[in-house]
Amino acid sequence: SLDDAPLGGEISQELLKILVCPEDKGPLELVDGGKFLLNPRNGYKYPIRNGIPVMLIEEGKKHRDTNVAANGAGERTKVADS
């Protein structure tokens, strides 16, 4: 199953540029060595498994980074502009 697949993997820059958070449709940032896509506005972290972004709101909530959501801080690499 996809839940058992390892985190990370190759993902194209073209795909990264067009992906948005399914919750608020805003841009995402690649974090944790390419293992997650982060929404810096709500802290949702969408896992990338075998190079496939899992863009389900439930997954984003499950891996949520509450520190980022609270203060917008954190080391991130920007991958999309609004």
Side-chain angles (χ1 to χ4, degrees), residues 16-68:
L16 288 174
K17 289 177 186 176
I18 62 172
L19 285 173
V20 296
C21 177
E23 178 86 356
D24 70 4
K25 310 300 186 248
L28 300 167
E29 301 172 0
L30 194 62
V31 296
D32 296 343
K35 295 179 181 177
F36 290 92
L37 289 167
L38 171 71
N39 177 335
R41 294 162 306 284
N42 61 18
Y44 291 6
K45 287 172 57 177
Y46 299 95
I48 298 172
R49 297 193 180 275
N50 283 339
I52 302 168
V54 183
M55 303 304 297
L56 301 171
I57 293 171
E58 302 80 39
E59 286 292 309
K61 286 181 181 179
K62 181 166 60 173
H63 300 284
R64 187 174 191 204
D65 185 335
T66 55
N67 293 327
V68 171

